[in-house]
Amino acid sequence: MSTLSVQDHGVVHHEDDHGQHHHKATFLNTYVFSQDHKMIAKQFLITGITMAFIAMILSVLFRIQLAYPEKSFPLMETLLGRFAPGGRLDSNFYLALVTIHGTIMVFFVLTAGLSGTFANLLIPLQLGVRDMASPFMNMLSYWFFFLASVIMLSSFLVQKGPASGGWTIYPPLSALPKAMPGSGMGMTLWLISMVLFIASQLMAGINYVSTILNMRTKGMDLWKMPLSVWALFLTAILGVLSFPVLVAGVVLLIFDRSFGTSFYLSDIVLNGTQVQPYEGGSPILFQHLFWFLGHPEVYIVIMPAMGISSEVMSVNSRKPIFGYHAMVYSLIGITVLSFIVWGHHMFVTGMNPFLGGVFMITTLIIAVPSAVKTFNWLATLWRGNIRFTSAMLFAIGMVSFFISGGLTGIFLGNAALDINLHDTYFVVAHFHLVMGSAAIFGMLAGVYHWFPKMFGRMMDERLGYLHFWLTFIGAYLVFFPMHFMGLDGVPRRYYAFTEFESMKQWLSVNTFITWAAIMSAVAQVAFLFNFIHSIFWGKKAPQNPWHSNTLEWTTPVEHLHGNWPGEIPTVYRWPYDYSKPGAEEDFIPQTVPLSQTMSSNLPHDFEDNPTGLEEHTKWANTQKSNEEVK
Amino acid sequence: MMSQLQQEDRLNLAPKKFNMWIFIFTSFMFFAALTSGFIVYIGGTKAHTMGMKLPDIFLYSTAVMVLSSVTLFMASRAAKALQYGRQRLYLLLTILLGVAFFAIQVYAWLILLPGMGVYFSNPNATQSFVYVFIWMHLLHILAGLLLLGNTLWRCYRSIEQVRNLYSMQMSSIFWHFVDIIWIYLYVFLLLNQQ
Amino acid sequence: MGFKNLISSKKILSLLAVFMLLGTSMLFAQGTESAGATASPAADAVKDNGLATAGYYILLFLIVCFVIGIVGKILRVFDLTQQIQGKEPINWNNVMGICCLIFLIAGGYAAYWEFKVHGAMILPDAASEHGVKIDEMFWTTTVLTMIVFVITQILLFTFLFRYRYNAKRRGHFLPHNNTIEKVWTIAPAIVLTILVIFGFFTWQKITDNVDAKGEPASINIDITGHQFAWELRYPGKDARLGATNYKLVTGINKLGINFKDKYSYDDLQADTMVIPVRKSIRLNIHAQDVIHSVYMPHFRVQLNAVPGLPTFFKFKPTITTAEMRIKLNKPNFEYEILCNKICGGQHYNMKKIVRVVTEAEYQGWIAQQKPYLTDKVKKSLNFAAEKKEVQPNRLALNN
Ligand code: HEM
Ligand SMILES: [Cu+2]
Ligand SMILES: [Cu+2]
C-alpha cells in the first residue's frame, strides 16, 4: 500500500473543540453559519451565480460601448452617474468594467463558485464521508469568500472607481495611484479582496485534499474514485501550491504601493515631468509571480469542469468513461505541467528569448494530455446510448468549446506566432472559449446534474434545453469572429475602435457580437428562472434520478447532517459499470459487491484480487459446463 | 447515538493533522515565492547586490529559535511519557524562547537595521526583502505562539491524553516548520549577502 | 400533478411580468426626475433619454418570455393528451439528436462563412523579413489544427445523433483500449513536436538580435512610450544615439537625453516613423511611466515597453508603403504602431504612423528632421549643467 492510507470511515460530525455536546438546529447555524458541507456547497453556488450575473451585466455594459462607440445613452448616465458622463462610458471606467468582469469571472465564479460548490458537495458524498476534515474551516472558507465578494463589489462605490489595470494588475500601472484613477482606492480594495479570497481558497483546498486522502469510505481506494473527485482533488492541490505565490506577489505590490519600496518599480516619470523616486525594481518580477499562479489558475478553472463533464457524459451515454486511467493520468500530467508553462504569457515582455523557447516547449507538451482527454470523451460517446438531459447537453457543449478553444492555444503557445497574437482579440477568443465557455458549461452541467442532490427537486428539462441552445449558439457567435479580429491585429482592452483606420472595418462586427452577447445574456434568465422556480416548486426528485453508480445517490433525498442515516456504504467497484454485458440493468452502483453480479463480472474486475479471480473463473467454468450439459 | 458520534469524532483527528501538513506546504510555497522573487531580482542585472552584511544578531536569534525547537521536542517527549509537569515546563520554556526570538527580530528590524543605514523603503529592493522576510516570518511566529499558548492552556486544563497529544503534535509540526523556515531564510540571506 | 404545475408556474410568470412592469414604470419616474435635474439648462432638446427604447426592449423581452411560457404549456398539454390517448409523448432525445445534427450542419456552414468573409479581413502578408517565416508557421498550424477541428466536431455531433437514446439498446461496454489510446497520445505528440521544433528555430532566429558580421549595421531608432503617445529618436550623422537618463526628464527635455554625451548632439526628433525598405532596423524600446507595448501588426513586430528595462526588436521591412497601397488597393493605407498593453484611459489611442520608403526618400526625409538639441534646450542646459551632476546611464547598466 502507498502512504495514502485509507482512513477508517470515522463518523465525523461537526468540529467540536469546545466540548459542546448539543447541536440545536437554528436558522443561523443551518442556513447561515452552517458547517454542513452540503449547505456550504449551496452557499458557494448561489453566491457564485449571483457574482456571475453581476459580471455578466458588466460585460454587457462594455459590449454596448464597443458596439456603439460614438452613441450616447442617457440611460447609462442615469444608471452609472459620473462613470458615464453624457451617456457614454468613461474610458477609464470601461477598463474598470473589463477588469472587474475578468476578476469576478475567473476567481469568484469559476474558482470559488465552481470548485467551492462541487468540491464541497461531491467530495464527501461521492467518497462516503460524513463531512469535511474540518467543517469549521470549511465554513470559514465560505465566509472569507463572501467577504471578498462584498469588498470587490464595494469598489464600485469609491469615488474614482474600481481597479482598472486588467485582471492581471501589472505594475507599474496598478502600483501608481497617479497612473490612472482605478489605481487608487479601487486597487487597494481589489488587493484586500484578493487576499481574503486567497485565504478562503487555501482553507477550502486544504480541507479538500485532506478529506480525500484520509477519509474515504471502506473500499474506496484512489482508483475507484469518480473522475469528478479526481479532478477536484488535483485542482485543490494546484490551488494550495500556487495561490501562496500570488500572495507573495500581492504583498510586494502592496509594499510598493503604500510603503515606497521598489520591488517592481524603476525609472518612472509620470505625466511627462514628475520623476519618481523608485529605482532598480523589475515589473517583470511581478509578472513571473502572477503567472506562476495565473497559469495553474486557468487549470484550476477547467479541471473541475472536465471532471464534471466526464462524470455526466459517462452517466448519460450509459457507458463507462473511456480510458479511466488515461483520464486520470492526463489530469495528473496537466497538474504537474501547469507549473512550468507560465512563461507563455510573457513571450513578448522582453524576457530572455531562450527562456521563451523553453516555455514554448513545455506549453506545447501540455496540449498532449488535453488532446488525450478530448479523444477519450469522443470515444465515450461512441456507441453509447445517449440520453439528452440538460446536464448532458452542457457537458457536450463543454467538449465542443474545449476543442475550439484548446486548438487556438497551440497557436499562442508557439512563441514565434505569439509575437503577433499576444494581447489581441485572438487571445480573448482563445480564453473565452476554453475558459469562459467550456468551464462555465462544465459548471452548468454540474448544476443541472446535481441539482436534485442539492435541493431535492428536479429542474425543468425543457427550459434547460432552451437555455443550452441559446447559450451555446450565442457563445460561438460572440467568440468565433473574435479570432479574425485578433488575426487582423486588433488589440484587446481597447475602449473604441474608432481611432485607427484599419480597425474601422470591425465596427459592424462589434455590433453583431454585442447583440449576440445580449442574446446569450438574456438566455441566462431562463436558467435563473428555472433554478429559483425549481428550488421551491420543482418536481420532487427520486433518490437516483439519473440511474447513476456513484455514492451520492445512495443518500436520502432529504438532507441530513452526516449524509447517511445508518452506516456508510462500502464500495466494491469502480464508478463506471454502465451497460455492463450480463447485468440486469444498465448500471451497477458502486455499492453492489461483485459477488452479487456474477453474470456480469469480467476477469478485468479482479486485477488486484487473485482470490476473487479464482472464484470468478470457477464460476465461469461451472457456467460453461452447465451449458454444455444442456 | 449523539454522544457516540462525539466520541468517534474526537478520535478522528488524523485528517485535521493532515490539514496542518498541507498548510505547511502552502506556507512553504509562500516563502519559496518570496525567495525566488529575490533571486529573479538579483539576477536581473549585475548592479543588484545586497550591499550589506547581515548583523550578527541574527545568529543569536537563530540559536534561540533552534533552542526553542529542542525544548518543544522535550515537551512532546514528556507529553508522550505522561509527565505533564515537565510538559508544561518545557512548553513554557518554548514560549519564552519564542517571545525572545520575536523580541530579537523586532529589535533588529526597528533599531539595528535602520542603524546600519538599511531601510525598508529603499531603492535597493534586496534590502527591502530582508524586512519582508523578517515580517512574514514573524507573522508565522505569532501564529505559532498562539498555537503553543493554546496547547499550554489545554495542558493546564488537563484534557484527556488523546487531545493533549493531538494539540502537542499540531503545535510541534508548526513550530518546527517555522524554525526550519527561519533557518532557510537566514542561510539564504547569508549566501546572498554582499 | 401536471395541471397543478401549470397553474402555479403561470402564477409565477404573471407575477414576474407585473414585477417587471412595475420596475419599468418606476425607472421611468426616476429617469425623468434625474433627467430633469441634470438637463434643465440644456433646455428640452434632450427629451429622449433612452428610457422609451429601454422600456420597449423590456416589453419585447417580456413578450418573448410569455410566448416561451405559452409554447411550454402547449407542449406539456400536447404531451399529456398523447399520454392519455396512449400514444408516444414527444421523444426529446430524438429532438435533441436532430438539433445536434442541424447544429453541425449550420455551424459548419457558419464556420465556413466566417473563414470566407471575416477570414478575408485579416492582416495582409507580412511586410517584414521575419514576418514571412511567422506567416508560414501560422498557415501550417492553421491547416493542422483546422483538420483536427473539423474532424473532432463532426465526430462529436454525429455521435450524438447516431447514438441517441433508444430504450431497446444498450451502450457498448468499452472501458478502455490501450492500443488506440497509445495512438492518440503519440499522434498529437508527434505533430506538436514538429510544430515545436519549427517554432523554436523560427523564434530563435527572430530573437537573435546580434548584427551578423559583414552585414551593414542596423539603423538604431529609439521609441519611448508614455501616457499616451510614442516619442521617436533617430541618430544623426554619427549613427549613434546619445545616452538617456530618466532623472534628466524635464518639460523641455522630454526624453531625458544626456546632452553631456557627445553622441546626443545630433539626435533627431520625428513625428512619423519613416524607415527605409530592406534595411535592418533596430528599435530600442523604452517606457517612461507604465508598461506599454510596441505593436506593428503588419511587420509582425511586438515587444513590451517596460519602464526600467529597455528592450529592442530587430526587423527588416520588405514592402514600402506605396507598394502596399497598390497591393491592397487602398490609397490611404498607412502602417501603424499601436499600444498593445493596457496603460490607462487613452490606451486605445496611442498611435504612430510608420512609413516605409526607399533609401533615397529616407535620406531626403532624415535631412529635414530637427535635432533634440534646440537652441532653447542649449540655453536652459548651460546653467543647469553646472549645478546638476548627471547620473550614469541606466541603459548601459541594464544591458
Ligand atoms: C491546450 C492547451 C492550452 C494552451 C497551449 C494554451 C496556451 C495559451 C497561451 C500561450 C496563452 C498566452 C497568450 C497571450 O497572452 O499571448 C494563453 C492565454 C490564456 N489561456 Fe490558454 N492555453 C491552453 C489552454 C487553456 C485553458 C484550458 C484555459 C482555461 C481554462 C486557458 C486560459 C487562458 C487564459 C485565461 C489566457 C489569457 C490570460 C490573459 O492574458 O488575460 N488556456 N493560453
Ligand atoms: Cu497559461
Ligand atoms: Cu500605452
Side-chain angles (χ1 to χ4, degrees):
Chain A
M1 275 294 293
S2 60
T3 47
L4 314 175
S5 66
V6 182
Q7 257 286 318
D8 215 344
H9 54 290
V11 184
V12 178
H13 205 61
H14 59 117
E15 171 97 349
D16 184 51
D17 263 14
H18 310 288
Q20 313 158 322
H21 280 239
H22 57 278
H23 176 258
K24 246 192 288 166
T26 61
F27 179 80
L28 213 61
N29 71 18
T30 331
Y31 293 107
V32 185
F33 297 108
S34 169
Q35 299 190 7
D36 181 1
H37 71 98
K38 298 183 291 298
M39 180 51 70
I40 296 176
K42 286 193 259 185
Q43 290 173 326
F44 266 113
L45 179 62
I46 289 172
T47 317
I49 289 178
T50 313
M51 292 302 274
F53 267 85
I54 293 171
M56 187 181 77
I57 291 168
L58 300 185
S59 75
V60 170
L61 281 179
F62 66 69
R63 270 314 324 174
I64 289 177
Q65 159 61 28
L66 284 175
Y68 304 106
E70 317 262 59
K71 210 161 151 181
S72 123
F73 298 91
L75 193 60
M76 283 253 204
E77 188 170 13
T78 321
L79 290 171
L80 300 170
R82 63 183 180 282
F83 295 131
R88 283 185 64 195
L89 281 188
D90 175 59
S91 67
N92 278 302
F93 188 65
Y94 172 86
L95 295 178
L97 288 176
V98 176
T99 303
I100 303 297
H101 163 78
T103 310
I104 292 184
M105 284 299 193
V106 172
F107 291 113
F108 291 76
V109 179
L110 287 172
T111 304
L114 179 56
S115 276
T117 305
F118 292 104
N120 269 310
L121 183 75
L122 297 183
I123 288 173
L125 284 176
Q126 290 194 327
L127 296 185
V129 185
R130 300 232 186 246
D131 209 324
M132 287 288 176
S134 169
F136 178 72
M137 237 164 87
N138 209 18
M139 174 189 83
L140 223 54
S141 133
Y142 171 72
W143 284 104
F144 269 66
F145 165 59
F146 184 80
L147 202 63
S149 310
V150 171
I151 293 177
M152 186 59 75
L153 292 179
S154 72
S155 65
F156 276 99
L157 304 177
V158 302
Q159 172 62 27
K160 288 183 168 172
S164 333
W167 76 281
T168 52
I169 57 156
Y170 284 180
L173 186 59
S174 61
L176 304 167
K178 275 192 249 160
M180 73 190 304
S183 294
M185 191 62 195
M187 193 66 221
T188 307
L189 288 174
W190 194 98
L191 292 168
I192 294 172
S193 169
M194 279 313 290
V195 169
L196 290 174
F197 177 84
I198 294 169
S200 142
Q201 288 313 296
L202 288 178
M203 282 191 277
I206 287 172
N207 243 327
Y208 305 154
V209 175
S210 174
T211 309
I212 293 173
L213 287 183
N214 293 295
M215 298 170 70
R216 301 185 306 275
T217 185
K218 227 187 288 165
M220 179 65 86
D221 59 54
L222 288 177
W223 289 108
K224 288 200 176 69
M225 298 200 307
L227 283 173
S228 41
V229 174
W230 263 112
L232 291 163
F233 173 51
L234 293 164
T235 304
I237 291 180
L238 265 182
V240 162
L241 293 181
S242 61
F243 270 117
V245 180
L246 183 61
V247 181
V250 163
V251 165
L252 298 186
L253 182 55
I254 291 174
F255 287 143
D256 270 6
R257 281 171 58 79
S258 311
F259 298 89
T261 51
S262 310
F263 293 107
Y264 304 134
L265 305 176
S266 178
D267 297 25
I268 291 170
V269 184
L270 275 180
N271 298 328
T273 50
Q274 302 163 3
V275 177
Q276 306 288 311
Y278 309 104
E279 267 182 85
S282 160
I284 306 298
L285 172 57
F286 177 84
Q287 298 182 18
H288 280 297
L289 292 174
F290 182 89
W291 286 116
F292 189 86
L293 157 90
H295 187 83
E297 167 64 24
V298 305
Y299 283 98
I300 288 173
V301 161
I302 197 71
M303 289 211 305
M306 289 172 161
I308 289 170
S309 303
S310 304
E311 184 66 25
V312 169
M313 285 188 4
S314 172
V315 173
N316 288 303
S317 324
R318 313 308 297 160
K319 251 192 89 185
I321 190 84
F322 184 82
Y324 173 75
H325 282 75
M327 288 304 241
V328 174
Y329 284 126
S330 57
L331 280 176
I332 295 175
I334 288 174
T335 307
V336 173
L337 286 170
S338 70
F339 281 111
I340 50 168
V341 300
W342 79 90
H344 64 217
H345 297 275
M346 301 167 60
F347 285 140
V348 300
T349 51
M351 181 175 71
N352 183 336
F354 178 73
L355 220 56
V358 173
F359 279 123
M360 158 168 151
I361 294 170
T362 54
T363 299
L364 294 193
I365 293 174
I366 209 173
V368 175
S370 311
V372 170
K373 294 197 80 76
T374 311
F375 294 135
N376 281 3
W377 283 322
L378 290 178
T380 304
L381 295 174
W382 180 67
R383 294 184 65 185
N385 198 12
I386 298 168
R387 278 186 330 211
F388 289 100
T389 61
S390 306
M392 180 64 173
L393 283 171
F394 277 98
I396 290 159
M398 184 268 167
V399 175
S400 174
F401 284 136
F402 187 72
I403 295 171
S404 309
L407 284 173
T408 52
I410 294 172
F411 292 76
L412 297 171
N414 187 329
L417 295 182
D418 194 51
I419 292 175
N420 222 44
L421 295 176
H422 176 68
D423 264 346
T424 63
Y425 266 85
F426 195 83
V427 177
V428 178
H430 160 68
F431 71 76
H432 275 95
L433 281 180
V434 85
M435 172 152 102
S437 304
I440 285 273
F441 269 47
M443 181 171 171
L444 287 168
V447 173
Y448 278 101
H449 193 75
W450 280 289
F451 190 89
K453 193 73 257 161
M454 278 190 270
F455 296 99
R457 290 173 188 269
M458 310 293 289
M459 283 179 88
D460 186 89
E461 287 291 321
R462 278 163 305 173
L463 261 180
Y465 294 154
L466 182 75
H467 175 214
F468 169 75
W469 284 110
L470 286 179
T471 318
F472 187 55
I473 294 169
Y476 263 127
L477 289 181
V478 170
F479 299 119
F480 209 85
M482 286 188 186
H483 291 109
F484 301 100
M485 288 164 82
L487 293 178
D488 191 37
V490 177
R492 66 196 277 207
R493 293 165 174 161
Y494 263 31
Y495 165 69
F497 288 14
T498 46
E499 304 301 319
F500 287 84
E501 204 51 48
S502 56
M503 271 179 230
K504 290 200 175 139
Q505 59 171 336
W506 294 104
L507 281 171
S508 58
V509 180
N510 256 348
T511 320
F512 171 78
I513 290 178
T514 296
W515 280 104
I518 290 175
M519 180 194 89
S520 332
V522 167
Q524 305 316 305
V525 176
F527 170 72
L528 200 63
F529 174 78
N530 198 351
F531 186 80
I532 296 173
H533 183 260
S534 305
I535 288 179
F536 298 105
W537 300 284
K539 215 166 67 188
K540 278 254 165 24
Q543 195 185 17
N544 189 355
W546 316 119
H547 300 296
S548 176
N549 286 342
T550 37
L551 277 188
E552 75 270 29
W553 304 107
T554 60
T555 60
V557 178
E558 292 294 332
H559 285 178
L560 51 99
H561 208 153
N563 297 339
W564 283 268
E567 212 177 314
I568 302 183
T570 308
V571 164
Y572 299 97
R573 56 176 75 234
W574 77 326
Y576 297 110
D577 270 344
Y578 292 106
S579 299
K580 209 173 182 187
E584 280 160 41
E585 283 187 90
D586 67 352
F587 70 111
I588 312 173
Q590 283 189 281
T591 50
V592 178
L594 289 166
S595 57
Q596 285 178 22
T597 55
M598 281 319 228
S599 59
S600 70
N601 291 349
L602 299 168
H604 181 75
D605 295 328
F606 302 97
E607 254 171 6
D608 40 27
N609 179 3
T611 44
L613 185 59
E614 218 169 274
E615 242 159 70
H616 170 71
T617 24
K618 224 189 280 165
W619 182 84
N621 287 341
T622 42
Q623 284 301 94
K624 221 183 255 163
S625 47
N626 280 353
E627 236 155 71
E628 274 163 22
V629 171
K630 268 186 217 159
Chain B
M1 171 73 186
M2 210 61 182
S3 63
Q4 189 212 337
L5 280 178
Q6 299 301 337
Q7 198 59 37
E8 285 182 50
D9 177 22
R10 276 192 200 152
L11 297 175
N12 195 358
L13 299 167
K16 284 181 191 139
K17 224 175 330 180
F18 201 85
N19 276 3
M20 180 58 90
W21 279 110
I22 307 171
F23 176 73
I24 280 172
F25 271 102
T26 309
S27 197
F28 172 75
M29 282 307 288
F30 176 69
F31 285 103
L34 284 178
T35 46
S36 315
F38 187 98
I39 292 171
V40 172
Y41 182 87
I42 261 198
T45 72
K46 293 207 178 60
H48 290 165
T49 55
M50 255 172 76
M52 64 174 275
K53 270 235 176 315
L54 280 185
D56 290 339
I57 193 164
F58 290 125
L59 201 61
Y60 305 134
S61 67
T62 311
V64 169
M65 197 67 217
V66 172
L67 205 63
S68 77
S69 261
V70 173
T71 52
L72 187 61
F73 178 71
M74 307 287 269
S76 286
R77 269 230 322 236
K80 273 190 209 123
L82 303 173
Q83 299 163 325
Y84 297 121
R86 294 185 54 173
Q87 185 198 355
R88 279 172 217 159
L89 178 70
Y90 281 122
L91 261 177
L92 206 64
L93 222 63
T94 313
I95 293 178
L96 285 180
L97 285 169
V99 172
F101 175 83
F102 200 97
I104 298 175
Q105 297 289 85
V106 171
Y107 172 75
W109 142 36
L110 283 179
I111 299 176
L112 212 58
L113 287 176
M116 294 167 60
V118 174
Y119 301 103
F120 177 54
S121 173
N122 188 327
N124 182 356
T126 45
Q127 299 185 350
S128 314
F129 264 118
V130 177
Y131 281 90
V132 176
F133 290 166
I134 292 177
W135 289 340
M136 292 301 135
H137 183 254
L138 279 185
L139 272 183
H140 283 72
I141 290 283
L142 212 62
L145 284 176
L146 288 177
L147 259 179
L148 284 172
N150 180 41
T151 310
L152 185 64
W153 185 64
R154 285 180 170 201
C155 194
Y156 272 108
R157 282 199 348 187
S158 42
I159 47 168
E160 69 237 69
Q161 171 71 353
V162 194
R163 309 188 111 226
N164 179 30
L165 267 187
Y166 161 71
S167 172
M168 236 0 256
Q169 279 169 345
M170 288 289 260
S171 36
S172 297
I173 295 169
F174 189 70
W175 193 258
H176 291 315
F177 164 72
V178 174
D179 183 11
I180 290 168
I181 281 289
W182 175 250
I183 294 172
Y184 163 66
L185 291 175
Y186 182 54
V187 171
F188 180 85
L189 286 175
L190 277 183
L191 291 179
N192 281 299
Q193 66 182 354
Q194 282 303 300
Chain C
M1 189 61 212
F3 280 105
K4 216 166 123 194
N5 267 345
L6 194 147
I7 296 161
S8 64
S9 60
K10 199 170 225 166
K11 233 188 289 180
I12 297 305
L13 252 179
S14 44
L15 221 80
L16 195 81
V18 169
F19 186 74
M20 286 260 181
L21 278 175
L22 225 75
T24 335
S25 56
M26 257 159 68
L27 250 174
F28 258 113
Q30 231 176 39
T32 41
E33 253 171 47
S34 59
T38 51
S40 48
D44 302 356
V46 241
K47 263 244 173 78
D48 174 31
N49 58 0
L51 271 174
T53 338
Y56 168 72
Y57 280 116
I58 290 175
L59 210 70
L60 212 68
F61 169 71
L62 287 177
I63 291 171
V64 170
C65 282
F66 194 66
V67 170
I68 289 170
I70 302 256
V71 171
K73 293 307 120 174
I74 292 174
L75 284 177
R76 182 162 287 163
V77 172
F78 178 71
D79 251 11
L80 279 174
T81 47
Q82 290 289 92
Q83 264 169 23
I84 288 165
Q85 292 170 12
K87 283 190 213 147
E88 284 278 295
I90 302 174
N91 185 340
W92 283 99
N93 284 311
N94 278 344
V95 176
M96 285 299 120
I98 290 164
C99 282
C100 286
L101 205 60
I102 295 174
F103 178 82
L104 177 64
I105 294 164
Y109 179 74
Y112 166 75
W113 187 88
E114 274 285 312
F115 273 91
K116 216 179 83 176
V117 177
H118 291 157
M121 289 157 71
I122 66 172
L123 289 170
D125 292 343
S128 66
E129 213 173 63
H130 75 273
V132 176
K133 289 201 207 85
I134 291 184
D135 281 6
E136 273 167 24
M137 283 238 52
F138 175 79
W139 289 115
T140 325
T141 315
T142 307
V143 169
L144 286 175
T145 48
M146 282 311 113
I147 291 172
V148 178
F149 175 76
V150 170
I151 292 178
T152 44
Q153 299 281 8
I154 287 180
L155 287 182
L156 177 63
F157 287 99
T158 43
F159 284 174
L160 292 176
F161 174 72
R162 173 71 184 72
Y163 302 113
R164 66 191 184 279
Y165 187 77
N166 180 341
K168 296 190 200 88
R169 223 188 44 212
R170 266 202 188 187
H172 174 58
F173 187 80
L174 176 70
H176 67 125
N177 177 333
N178 290 346
T179 325
I180 196 153
E181 281 173 67
K182 269 181 208 141
V183 168
W184 66 44
T185 312
I186 293 167
I190 291 174
V191 174
L192 286 166
T193 312
I194 295 170
L195 287 177
V196 165
I197 290 172
F198 280 126
F200 191 82
F201 287 119
T202 316
W203 169 249
Q204 284 228 308
K205 232 177 261 164
I206 295 169
T207 52
D208 179 17
N209 280 307
V210 189
D211 282 340
K213 270 192 208 122
E215 204 181 302
S218 309
I219 299 175
N220 268 292
I221 303 173
D222 254 21
I223 181 162
T224 306
H226 63 85
Q227 287 173 329
F228 296 94
W230 298 106
E231 306 296 337
L232 294 171
R233 186 160 66 113
Y234 278 73
K237 293 201 186 64
D238 58 5
R240 289 187 64 164
L241 288 160
T244 56
N245 185 324
Y246 76 102
K247 286 183 180 159
L248 299 177
V249 170
T250 57
I252 14 178
N253 187 359
K254 277 203 289 193
L255 294 180
I257 299 169
N258 179 358
F259 288 109
K260 290 198 159 170
D261 182 354
K262 67 176 193 305
Y263 293 121
S264 71
Y265 296 163
D266 57 355
D267 288 357
L268 301 170
Q269 354 190 356
D271 285 334
T272 313
M273 188 158 114
V274 176
I275 46 179
V277 70
R278 273 180 291 282
K279 276 277 162 63
S280 174
I281 311 287
R282 182 183 142 129
L283 270 186
N284 300 304
I285 299 168
H286 310 261
Q288 281 191 329
D289 35 32
V290 301
I291 303 180
H292 302 268
S293 184
V294 174
Y295 183 35
M296 302 161 70
H298 295 95
F299 303 103
R300 315 294 188 255
V301 168
Q302 175 168 214
L303 201 58
N304 288 1
V306 186
L309 183 90
T311 50
F312 59 91
F313 200 114
K314 237 181 70 176
F315 70 105
K316 195 184 271 184
T318 51
I319 305 177
T320 63
T321 303
E323 284 164 358
M324 202 61 162
R325 284 179 180 165
I326 296 167
K327 204 170 145 194
L328 297 180
N329 198 16
K330 281 187 196 154
N332 295 325
F333 173 84
E334 294 282 8
Y335 293 116
E336 283 158 343
I337 293 178
L338 309 97
C339 176
N340 200 15
K341 184 62 79 186
I342 181 170
C343 62
Q346 302 299 308
H347 167 54
Y348 70 102
N349 190 10
M350 258 178 85
K351 175 161 57 173
K352 202 92 209 164
I353 301 282
V354 179
R355 201 161 292 143
V356 182
V357 296
T358 60
E359 178 68 25
E361 285 170 308
Y362 174 69
Q363 294 302 346
W365 173 83
I366 197 134
Q368 289 169 10
Q369 301 311 304
K370 305 224 158 45
Y372 270 99
L373 194 61
T374 55
D375 291 343
K376 208 166 128 203
V377 177
K378 268 184 200 157
K379 222 164 125 198
S380 75
L381 212 76
N382 277 344
F383 70 96
E386 279 144 11
K387 287 182 201 160
K388 233 192 258 169
E389 191 50 49
V390 174
Q391 299 280 327
N393 168 20
R394 273 199 55 84
L395 175 74
L397 281 179
N398 267 326
N399 277 338

